[in-house]
Amino acid sequence: MKEVLIIYYSQTGQLLTILENIARNIQGDNVRISYYEVVPKPAYDFPWKKEKFYDSFPESFLQIPTDFESPSKTILDKKYDLVILGYPVWYLTPSIPINSFLKSADAKLLLKDTPVVTVVACRNMWIMAQEKMKKLLLDVGAKLVGHIALVDRNINHISVITIAHWMFSGRKDRYLGIFPKPGVSDKDIKEAERFGAPIKQALLSNNYDNLQSEILALNGVSVNPFLIMTDKRGNVLFSKWANHIIKKGEPGNPKRLKWIGFFKIYLLFAIWVIAPIVFVVFLLTYLPSYKRRKRDKIYYSSVALKEN
C-alpha cells in the first residue's frame, strides 16, 4: 500500500478543492491518501480585515514562523511514500502557516527523504515564493519532484481589483457584476484532476525522473518572463520595507501601523504606476535579454534549485 499525505493551508478553500481534484485520480489501487491541514494559532480570519492583512506583511515576507497545531500522532508515526504540499502565496512568499510548518521539527520528521509535489494557487506571482519553498524543502531534507502552479488568468490590474474584493468581502463573485470572478477559474480548478494520473504513475513506479516534464506537458506551469522581472524587483523592495517595519514593534503597535499605512500607499503606487513603467522597460530590453529570459523560463518551470 502506497501512503500519500496531502499537507495544505487553504484560507479560502480554493486550494483544498484543487488538491482534492488532483487526489481523485491518485486514490485507490493500493494508494491511500491522508490529509493534514496546517492550522495557525491564532487563526487568520477570512475575509481579511484590511488592517490585519497589511500588518501581516513583515512577518510574512521575512518568513518569521508562528505557532500552529501539530499533526496527529497517527500522521507523525507514519512514513509516507509521497507528500503533496499545497500553499498560497502571501507577499511573494509562502504563507505564514506553511512557512511555520516547514521550519518545524514536525516537517523534518514527515518530509526527510520523502518525494514532494508542491501545488500553488495564487493571483499571478509565485516564482520567487517557489524559490523560497525549494530552500525550505532542502532544509528539511525533502526531495522536490514536481510542481504545479495554478493562477488567475486575468490581466494584472483586473486581478488586483478582483482579488481585493474577494479577500476583504469573502465573496468569490463578479465585483460590481462586471468584473470577472477572482482567483483560479472554475474550469482550471475542475481540470486539476488531470495531474493525478502522472503523479500516480510516478508513485507506483517509484520513479519521479520525468514527472515535472509530464506536468509541463499538461500545462501545469506557465512562466511569464515579465512577472519574473517584477517578482524579483518586488522582493528587493519588499525586503527594505519589511526590515524597516519589523523594527517598529509587534503587530498592532501604533508606530508600526503608521508605517504599515505608508507601505499600503507604496503598494498601490507600485501596482498602478511602477509596474507599467517596469513593463515598458521589459519590452525595450526583451530582444537583448531574449536568451537569458529563455534560460530563466526553463529553470523556473523546473524543480531544480540554483546553487549559491
Side-chain angles (χ1 to χ4, degrees), residues 27-299:
Q27 182 86 44
D29 294 333
N30 296 319
V31 178
R32 181 163 49 207
I33 296 179
S34 304
Y35 287 80
Y36 165 55
E37 178 186 6
V38 181
V39 178
K41 297 191 296 188
Y44 292 88
D45 293 333
F46 185 78
W48 284 91
K49 291 182 173 60
K50 287 187 179 181
E51 182 179 285
K52 178 66 174 177
F53 175 80
Y54 291 106
D55 202 17
S56 298
F57 160 66
E59 284 76 12
S60 178
F61 183 79
L62 296 175
Q63 296 182 266
I64 298 172
T66 188
D67 198 10
F68 65 94
E69 294 182 11
S70 292
S72 67
K73 189 174 186 299
T74 302
I75 288 176
L76 288 174
D77 286 348
K78 189 177 294 183
K79 177 60 180 175
Y80 291 92
D81 299 288
L82 174 69
V83 168
I84 300 175
L85 177 61
Y87 73 96
V89 175
W90 292 4
Y91 294 107
L92 311 181
T93 307
S95 67
I96 291 175
I98 287 294
N99 177 73
S100 301
F101 165 73
L102 288 172
K103 291 190 171 186
S104 72
D106 292 339
K108 289 182 180 179
L109 183 62
L110 286 171
L111 301 182
K112 184 175 175 56
D113 299 324
T114 302
V116 174
V117 174
T118 50
V119 180
V120 61
C122 66
R123 187 174 71 87
N124 57 14
M125 284 194 284
W126 56 267
I127 294 289
M128 298 312 294
Q130 182 64 7
E131 289 302 287
K132 296 169 188 176
M133 173 59 70
K134 290 176 183 178
K135 293 176 182 176
L136 288 167
L137 292 174
L138 180 65
D139 287 344
V140 295
K143 304 173 183 177
L144 181 62
V145 297
H147 176 59
I148 299 165
L150 299 182
V151 301
D152 188 327
R153 293 179 182 269
N154 294 296
I155 63 172
N156 189 46
H157 288 89
I158 293 295
S159 66
V160 167
I161 295 170
T162 58
I163 200 71
H165 164 66
W166 186 19
M167 293 299 100
F168 298 134
S169 73
R171 300 194 308 273
K172 192 180 181 182
D173 57 10
R174 296 168 62 91
Y175 179 51
L176 300 178
I178 57 174
F179 284 89
K181 290 176 66 175
V184 179
S185 71
D186 293 340
K187 180 175 182 292
D188 284 346
I189 291 173
K190 182 178 184 303
E191 292 181 354
E193 63 186 24
R194 71 188 185 276
F195 301 116
I199 293 173
K200 184 174 184 177
Q201 183 180 16
L203 171 68
L204 294 178
S205 65
N206 197 32
N207 185 348
Y208 298 91
D209 292 347
N210 298 318
L211 178 57
Q212 188 60 17
S213 296
E214 293 176 13
I215 288 172
L216 294 178
L218 294 172
N219 298 315
V221 176
S222 178
V223 174
N224 183 324
F226 168 62
L227 292 179
I228 296 174
M229 180 179 179
T230 306
D231 204 337
K232 287 183 176 179
R233 183 59 181 163
N235 269 264
V236 171
L237 296 172
F238 274 17
S239 178
K240 297 180 186 300
W241 277 99
N243 281 290
H244 179 74
I245 294 173
I246 202 73
K247 297 174 184 176
K248 303 302 176 182
E250 298 293 321
N253 183 294
K255 185 182 292 187
R256 167 168 158 148
L257 289 177
K258 181 181 74 171
W259 279 98
I260 288 292
F262 293 149
F263 171 71
K264 179 181 176 181
I265 294 169
Y266 157 76
L267 198 58
L268 294 172
F269 181 78
I271 291 170
W272 295 101
V273 178
I274 297 177
I277 295 172
V278 172
F279 184 63
V280 171
V281 173
F282 169 79
L283 293 177
L284 292 174
T285 60
Y286 187 84
L287 287 178
S289 305
Y290 177 75
K291 289 185 178 179
R292 177 175 59 80
R293 296 191 195 286
K294 187 176 181 180
R295 289 195 302 269
D296 283 349
K297 190 170 183 178
I298 293 171
Y299 168 71

